[in-house]
């Protein structure tokens, strides 16, 4: 996957079964411990909100959102490293928040590695606040890393530009 330095047409659309190999390629390039292809397949089959980010004609990012009574949970959000720093992660996150709100969520939750500074900064800039910790949640080369649990209250005034 080569990032086109010129302009591109970003599009976010629902994930399709035919997208799964490309989604898995993005996931594998973005994370040391990626979800498996079967996890994405199961998310589609179970009716989770699964969306992809395209840059012109190729998938460069995705998110998976689970809905529950009054809340949503961002289970996965990734952008291919060659496409970082172009606002695509923010666009995906904002779409996830919009989908959660449209489907009746009052709050959106997610977990993030504290060591993932760019993601932590993105989530905080979009109005997420730390509400907890999950001990030993993420695998690492030397053991486990805790997760920060973040919450976004959709009933509060949205950050500029989201609506």
């Amino acid at each position: 996957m080569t990032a086109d330095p010129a302009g591109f047409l970003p599009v976010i659309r629902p994930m399709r079964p035919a997208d799964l190999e490309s989604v898995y390629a993005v996931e594998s390039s973005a994370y040391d411990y990626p979800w498996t292809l079967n996890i994405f397949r199961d998310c589609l089959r179970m009716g989770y909100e699964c969306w992809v980010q395209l840059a012109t004609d190729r998938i460069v990012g995705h998110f998976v959102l689970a809905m529950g009574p009054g809340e949503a949970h961002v289970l996965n959000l990734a952008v291919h490293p060659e496409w970082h720093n172009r606002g695509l992660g923010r666009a995906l996150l904002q779409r996830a928040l919009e989908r959660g709100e449209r489907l009746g969520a009052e709050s959106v939750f997610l977990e993030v590695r504290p060591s993932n500074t760019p993601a932590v900064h993105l989530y905080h800039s979009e109005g997420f606040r730390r509400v907890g910790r999950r001990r030993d949640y993420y695998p690492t080369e030397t053991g486990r890393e805790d997760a920060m649990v973040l919450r976004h209250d959709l009933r509060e005034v949205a950050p500029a530009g989201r609506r």
Side-chain angles (χ1 to χ4, degrees), residues 77-95:
L77 190 149
V79 173
H80 193 286
E82 291 181 2
W83 289 86
H84 283 183
N85 301 311
R86 295 175 188 233
L88 301 179
R90 184 175 306 279
L92 284 166
L93 181 60
Q94 289 172 348
R95 178 63 58 91

Side-chain angles (χ1 to χ4, degrees), residues 106 127 129 151-158 162-163:
E106 295 177 4
R129 295 188 184 109
R151 177 178 182 257
H152 185 291
D153 188 345
L154 293 170
R155 296 170 296 182
E156 291 180 6
V157 176
R162 197 178 117 221
R163 292 189 199 252

Side-chain angles (χ1 to χ4, degrees), residues 55-129:
T56 308
D57 63 347
R58 72 188 104 186
I59 293 172
V60 298
H62 57 267
F63 75 81
V64 176
L65 184 74
M67 296 300 301
E71 66 183 51
H73 194 128
V74 178
L75 301 177
N76 188 303
L77 190 149
V79 173
H80 193 286
E82 291 181 2
W83 289 86
H84 283 183
N85 301 311
R86 295 175 188 233
L88 301 179
R90 184 175 306 279
L92 284 166
L93 181 60
Q94 289 172 348
R95 178 63 58 91
L97 294 172
E98 290 167 5
R99 290 299 301 164
E101 187 171 37
R102 180 172 288 157
L103 295 170
E106 295 177 4
S107 298
V108 178
F109 292 88
L110 59 78
E111 290 85 18
V112 63
R113 289 178 185 266
S115 62
N116 188 346
T117 305
V120 171
H121 175 74
L122 169 64
Y123 299 142
H124 284 155
S125 74
E126 287 295 319
F128 280 84
R129 295 188 184 109

Side-chain angles (χ1 to χ4, degrees), residues 22-34:
S22 295
V23 167
Y24 180 68
V26 169
E27 178 80 2
S28 296
S29 67
Y31 295 120
D32 291 334
Y33 300 93

Side-chain angles (χ1 to χ4, degrees), residues 8-22:
F8 60 92
L9 176 64
V11 173
I12 300 174
R13 65 157 171 79
M15 189 184 297
R16 304 171 187 149
D19 297 330
L20 289 175
E21 292 290 338
S22 295

